[in-house]
């Protein structure tokens, strides 16, 4: 049964065996399916199996696409009154909220989230957003009419003309999501797409599709019509590519790495599909010598949130030379004291990375940083081999051309780069293929805003951290295409259609 698993670490390095969640099912064409194959979800805290899912392959992908297409072309969902769709979505959001504790536990067990993160960012915020999208479904304006009488292009004069612009759902949407914030990103795609009348095939990351299994079960209980939401568990890149390339799919909404985003865009280009791509980042945290350092340090600039696994995390620390030594020494001192803790202990600050592949990848980047000649000022080793714990790691004497400064590491690794002045800070920040987030710290507000305005990123915080949940959230350059959260998400899932007539 879902939700019985709870990882409990009983003292230093000792883990109680957790009951494994079995019987998780795909949702295809309104039916929950046991499926075939077996993918094991491993707890990042203990490396123990906590859940098993079936593995969706070509057959499941084919049936899910057919179901979503049929539901869009012939089913009631896109044709319902907005208020009717809203009622179903509110019911669905209510059911998810009733399972909040289970979702929190899943976020801890499958993604390695600490309790406060699991309760807030991973679960609480998306549950609120789900109701917000249900509200938006009710008030979704489908048409706007404009009187465009005047000298028309057709040469007809003196004839009244009216143009009606209609907002229509984009169609069948393939939604593909990453491992770091699984439930959050699933909700972030499924609810706005459904709210405007699209039908959806959701493919979460195989290592974190446990919450999606719960979403599947509750979608049936909520009474979503057949084929409107299809959820495929345990599926990897091959199934993902089938869901992107198929000509019956109208749109792809993807969150994941820039490398996968490029591949998805290539596949989508073959049938000229609309794409929303929320990809990687290497965001700058820019600290001028005149910054209020107490305010800066109060934001915990060590890149520890979710063990550094966030697209918008500030992973390049840019410090003006006069205070570079002071700031990095204070950070290194703090980071060196951090030790792995219990997931349910709200005081724990160092959590594991989410899976074995990520664990190896981050350790490899630490090796690269050493080889490139950066100074290891803190961390750099495995913190506890019981789980996927890596020490909070700080590299100093980093040059922005190093791989550790250019590539997204997606782990608890911070690189600190000195800069000379305002121009240099902007130049280093912009010397990146990414453009998702940034923060600027200076008590000279004119300078701070000048720098903020010169940076090409989707979010910028001035003497604070930007709250990406407020939306619009997304990025410039190779961070992707499109914006999510709030009303901006809704706009991504619609097409505009204009009708014109006389009289
Ligand atoms: P990933 O690209 O490896 O995988 C993401 C999803 O794509 C998974 O479901 C995976 O199974 C699927 N996939 C992989 N190859 C595919 C292919 N060829 N065709 C179709 N699907 C394929 O990313 P990840 O490692 O799960 O997540 C980490 C990345 O996600 C980081 O780069 C991070 O910055 C990014 N991210 C971005 C945002 C944002 O809003 N910009 C938010 C969260 C995470």
């Amino acid at each position: 049964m879902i939700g019985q698993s709870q990882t409990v670490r009983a003292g230093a390095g000792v883990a109680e065996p957790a009951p494994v969640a079995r019987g998780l099912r795909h949702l295809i064409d309104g039916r929950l399916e046991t499926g075939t194959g077996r993918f094991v979800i491993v707890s990042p805290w203990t490396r123990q199996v906590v859940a098993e899912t079936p593995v969706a392959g070509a057959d499941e992908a084919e049936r899910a696409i057919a179901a979503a297409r049929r539901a869009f072309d012939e089913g009631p969902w896109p044709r319902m009154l907005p208020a009717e769709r809203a009622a179903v979505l509110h019911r669905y959001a209510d059911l998810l909220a009733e399972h909040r504790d289970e979702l929190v536990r899943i976020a801890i067990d499958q993604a390695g989230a600490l309790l406060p993160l699991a309760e807030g960012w991973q679960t609480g915020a998306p549950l609120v957003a789900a109701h917000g999208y249900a509200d938006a479904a009710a008030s979704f304006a489908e048409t706007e009419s404009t009187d465009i009488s005047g000298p028309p292009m057709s040469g007809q004069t003196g004839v009244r003309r009216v143009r009606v612009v209609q907002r229509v759902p984009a169609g069948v949407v393939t939604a593909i999501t990453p491992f770091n914030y699984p439930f959050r990103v699933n909700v972030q795609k499924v609810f706005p797409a459904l709210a405007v009348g699209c039908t959806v095939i959701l493919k979460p990351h195989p290592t974190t599709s446990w919450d999606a299994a719960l979403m599947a079960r509750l979608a049936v209980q909520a009474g979503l019509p057949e084929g409107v939401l299809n959820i495929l568990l345990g599926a990897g890149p091959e199934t993902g590519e089938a869901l992107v390339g198929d000509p019956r799919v109208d749109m792809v909404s993807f969150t994941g790495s820039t490398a996968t985003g490029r591949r998805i865009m290539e596949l989508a280009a073959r049938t000229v599909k609309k794409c929303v791509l929320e990809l990687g980042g290497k965001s700058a945290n820019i600290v001028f010598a005149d910054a209020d350092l107490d305010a800066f340090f109060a934001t915990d600039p060590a890149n520890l949130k979710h063990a550094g696994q966030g697209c918008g995390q500030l992973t390049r620390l840019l410090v003006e030379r006069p205070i570079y030594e002071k700031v990095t020494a204070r950070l290194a001192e703090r980071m060196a004291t951090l030790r792995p803790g219990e997931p349910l202990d709200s005081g724990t600050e160092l959590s594991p990375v989410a899976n074995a592949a990520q664990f190896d990848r981050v350790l490899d980047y630490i090796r690269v940083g050493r080889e490139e000649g950066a100074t290891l000022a803190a961390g750099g080793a495995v913190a506890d081999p019981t789980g996927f714990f890596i020490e909070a790691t700080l590299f100093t004497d980093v040059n922005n051309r190093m791989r550790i400064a250019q590539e997204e590491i997606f782990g608890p690794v911070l690189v600190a780069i000195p800069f000379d002045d305002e121009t240099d800070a902007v130049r280093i920040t912009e010397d990146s293929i990414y453009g998702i987030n940034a923060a600027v710290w200076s008590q000279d507000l004119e300078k701070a805003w000048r720098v903020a305005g010169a940076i090409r990123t989707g979010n910028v915080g001035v003497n604070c951290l930007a709250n990406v949940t407020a939306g619009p959230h997304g990025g410039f350059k190779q961070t992707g295409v499109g914006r999510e959260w709030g009303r901006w998400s809704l706009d991504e899932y619609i097409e505009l259609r204009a009708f014109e007539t006389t009289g």
Side-chain angles (χ1 to χ4, degrees):
M1 192 180 131
I2 300 174
Q4 287 190 334
S5 171
Q6 183 170 355
T7 306
V8 180
R9 289 167 56 79
V14 182
E16 299 288 345
V20 177
R22 295 196 171 87
L24 307 183
R25 289 173 290 172
H26 308 298
L27 172 60
I28 302 175
D29 206 8
R31 280 179 296 277
L32 295 166
E33 292 190 9
T34 309
T36 57
R38 177 174 173 263
F39 189 94
V40 294
I41 296 178
V42 172
S43 164
W45 300 91
T46 63
R47 300 179 187 241
Q48 290 179 340
V49 175
V50 286
E52 287 178 10
T53 69
V55 178
D59 169 59
E60 285 83 0
E62 164 58 34
R63 290 187 294 110
I65 295 168
R69 186 75 256 169
R70 204 165 41 245
F72 188 78
D73 292 340
E74 301 162 23
W77 190 253
R79 292 159 194 88
M80 276 182 185
L81 290 174
E84 292 171 338
R85 267 204 306 268
V88 178
L89 289 178
H90 274 302
R91 203 154 58 227
Y92 190 19
D94 280 340
L95 281 166
L96 288 165
E98 283 168 24
H99 290 75
R100 183 183 175 281
D101 290 350
E102 197 172 331
L103 286 163
V104 168
R105 239 173 6 241
I106 291 172
I108 292 169
D109 280 356
Q110 74 170 357
L114 284 167
L115 182 64
L117 189 79
E119 286 180 328
W121 194 263
Q122 294 266 18
T123 305
L127 286 175
V128 171
H131 275 296
Y133 288 117
D135 283 338
S139 57
F140 181 62
E142 290 197 2
T143 56
E144 59 187 74
S145 309
T146 331
D147 186 334
I148 53 163
S149 305
M153 285 189 295
S154 65
Q156 287 175 288
T157 49
V159 178
R160 186 169 175 270
R161 294 174 72 88
V162 174
R163 172 178 289 157
V164 176
V165 176
Q166 192 182 23
R167 308 175 67 189
V168 295
V172 174
V173 177
T174 283
I176 300 183
T177 57
F179 69 76
N180 59 332
Y181 290 115
F183 179 65
R184 179 185 172 89
V185 184
N186 290 343
V187 166
Q188 182 47 36
K189 294 189 183 306
V190 165
F191 272 80
L194 294 183
V196 302
C198 292
T199 60
V200 176
I201 306 145
L202 172 66
K203 191 209 87 61
H205 198 285
T207 61
T208 50
S209 55
W210 187 0
D211 65 288
L214 181 57
M215 288 179 73
R217 191 155 63 80
L218 299 181
V220 174
Q221 276 185 38
L224 278 166
E226 286 171 7
V228 166
L229 176 61
N230 304 273
I231 300 182
L232 302 183
L233 310 181
E238 210 174 307
T239 306
E241 294 203 359
L243 296 173
V244 170
D246 195 286
R248 291 166 292 178
V249 171
D250 298 297
M251 172 179 169
V252 182
S253 178
F254 171 75
T255 298
S257 65
T258 293
T260 308
R262 284 191 202 105
R263 174 71 183 144
I264 282 176
M265 208 168 188
E266 273 171 30
L267 290 169
R270 295 179 192 171
T271 45
V272 196
K273 285 185 190 18
K274 183 171 186 176
C275 287
V276 171
L277 301 172
E278 302 292 350
L279 311 177
K282 193 79 188 180
S283 301
N285 202 3
I286 305 165
V287 193
F288 283 96
D290 60 0
D292 175 348
L293 289 184
D294 288 337
F296 165 74
F297 275 102
T299 61
D300 191 11
N303 184 36
L304 291 176
K305 182 178 167 189
H306 204 19
Q309 300 163 113
C311 54
Q313 247 151 292
L314 302 170
T315 54
R316 278 189 301 161
L317 178 64
L318 273 54
V319 190
E320 200 166 10
R321 277 191 203 281
I323 58 164
Y324 182 80
E325 293 301 332
K326 182 168 92 175
V327 167
T328 53
R330 184 166 160 187
L331 256 182
E333 195 179 328
R334 181 177 140 57
M335 288 165 81
T337 63
L338 297 170
R339 291 283 168 268
E342 309 298 318
L344 301 180
D345 178 350
S346 59
T348 304
E349 289 175 291
L350 191 67
S351 57
V353 295
N355 56 53
Q358 200 54 28
F359 183 71
D360 292 344
R361 188 181 135 92
V362 174
L363 290 174
D364 197 51
Y365 269 113
I366 293 173
R367 179 190 58 75
V368 168
R370 283 188 163 121
E371 283 175 10
E372 288 183 307
T375 303
L376 201 49
V382 172
D384 179 353
T386 315
F388 302 127
F389 293 97
I390 296 172
E391 289 177 343
T393 299
L394 174 65
F395 277 113
T396 53
D397 303 319
V398 175
N399 169 328
N400 198 53
R401 294 315 303 164
M402 290 178 181
R403 277 184 63 199
I404 56 166
Q406 286 291 320
E407 297 175 20
E408 185 183 44
I409 297 174
F410 225 54
V413 180
L414 182 68
V415 300
I417 304 167
F419 68 86
D420 294 323
D421 55 20
E422 187 179 329
T423 310
D424 202 31
V426 173
R427 180 189 63 74
I428 296 171
T429 302
E430 285 300 295
D431 177 19
S432 170
I433 63 166
Y434 300 112
I436 186 162
N437 194 14
V440 185
W441 299 89
S442 168
Q443 293 186 77
D444 176 345
L445 291 183
E446 267 183 38
K447 177 172 68 182
W449 280 104
R450 245 188 343 261
V451 170
I455 293 170
R456 296 180 69 231
T457 59
N459 289 274
V460 187
V462 174
N463 292 319
C464 69
L465 303 186
N467 171 13
V468 299
T469 308
H473 166 71
F476 287 67
K477 301 189 258 182
Q478 293 185 41
T479 286
V481 181
R483 293 293 183 270
E484 288 191 325
W485 287 99
R487 65 182 168 83
W488 294 278
S489 279
L490 297 163
D491 289 344
E492 298 291 357
Y493 295 98
I494 61 162
E495 293 283 3
L496 296 177
R497 192 159 60 166
F499 301 89
E500 219 168 288
T501 189
T502 56

